Amino acid sequence: ADGAAAFASLAGVDATKGKNLGMKGQSFEVTIIDEDSKLNVNTASRGDAITQQRLGLSLIGLMAGDQYNPMFENRGSDGQYADRAGVCGAIVDWADGDENFYGCDPRNAQNTGSATEDQSYSLFKVPYRRKNAPYDSLEELHLVRGVTDDFYATFVDPDPNNPRKRVMTVWGQGTVNVNSANAQTLLALVCGAAVQNPPQLLCTDLTVQAKFLAAVGMLR
């Protein structure tokens, strides 16, 4: 009742004269999520090497944990093998506008080559070409080579009922807002930066990772 009165005052309307405005005693909740708190895969469409390398670092950092090794050692649902660098490169290649293969090697500033990704997509039961344009939705990642259902549920949208836990996005400005990012996204940024340096305990020790994720979650 208090909320209805406040809304009526703000909007300048008399809600008591409205009809079919909902069931008596019911309510709904609107949650606003900062899209800049996530890894924006559409930054790959900008085409410049620095932005692509920054995205590649974050993606590699996201997948760095040894606990994920089985996911990249076995065949995916498409019957193909895809290692970490392969999936990372495929995510970038889907959105960038050129025909060059992105190697996703964070240690190498020159990541592109003359190879094409389309040959892999042509081996699917229903062949298609990669888009070479920005993602229209997050679900479009399902079309990317190597992004299996397990990958999506682990690294993209771990809990569909809780958008705050979503790790990737196709919206926003591109730079991650660390003040609103969830724990898994922050871990990806830290471990992505650590790729170019000696291995960090946070990125290799599962116990330390669990403590980090729990601590950030509690603080959030």
Side-chain angles (χ1 to χ4, degrees):
D2 292 340
F7 174 78
S9 175
L10 177 66
V13 299
D14 184 359
T16 60
K17 296 181 178 179
K19 295 181 179 181
N20 301 319
L21 296 180
M23 295 183 294
K24 184 178 180 180
Q26 303 301 310
S27 64
F28 63 88
E29 179 179 324
V30 175
T31 303
I32 298 176
I33 305 297
D34 179 14
E35 292 300 315
D36 283 325
S37 67
K38 312 176 192 313
L39 303 179
N40 188 343
V41 293
N42 263 342
T43 57
S45 65
R46 297 177 182 175
D48 65 278
I50 294 178
T51 301
Q52 289 185 348
Q53 186 182 39
R54 185 179 295 127
L55 175 60
L57 281 169
S58 299
L59 292 174
I60 290 294
L62 181 66
M63 300 180 276
D66 291 340
Q67 68 270 34
Y68 304 127
N69 286 345
M71 187 180 301
F72 302 101
E73 293 171 350
N74 301 313
R75 292 182 185 272
S77 57
D78 56 10
Q80 300 185 38
Y81 290 100
D83 59 12
R84 289 172 171 84
V87 180
C88 172
I91 291 174
V92 173
D93 281 332
W94 184 269
D96 69 18
D98 58 45
E99 293 294 331
N100 297 322
F101 171 76
Y102 184 75
C104 206
D105 180 2
R107 299 178 182 85
N108 180 12
Q110 301 297 325
N111 267 300
T112 59
S114 58
T116 175
E117 281 285 304
D118 287 336
Q119 183 177 359
S120 299
Y121 292 99
S122 68
L123 299 176
F124 292 163
K125 293 181 179 179
V126 180
Y128 56 92
R129 293 176 58 86
R130 72 182 188 275
K131 188 177 183 181
N132 275 354
Y135 293 86
D136 289 313
S137 69
L138 199 59
E139 289 73 16
E140 194 176 319
L141 279 164
H142 284 294
L143 297 174
V144 176
R145 180 175 63 85
V147 179
T148 62
D149 290 341
D150 286 342
F151 182 96
Y152 195 92
T154 303
F155 300 117
V156 181
D157 195 5
D159 185 356
N161 294 320
N162 186 354
R164 296 187 186 280
K165 292 187 177 182
R166 198 171 298 141
V167 181
M168 299 185 192
T169 184
V170 298
W171 308 105
Q173 301 175 74
T175 303
V176 175
N177 183 353
V178 295
N179 284 325
S180 55
N182 62 39
Q184 192 173 8
T185 304
L186 291 175
L187 185 63
L189 296 178
V190 172
C191 293
V195 169
Q196 297 177 313
N197 300 294
Q200 304 297 312
L201 193 62
L202 176 62
C203 305
T204 58
D205 190 301
L206 298 183
T207 302
V208 176
Q209 281 189 17
K211 290 180 179 179
F212 174 84
L213 294 173
V216 173
M218 291 176 62
L219 289 171
R220 284 284 182 258

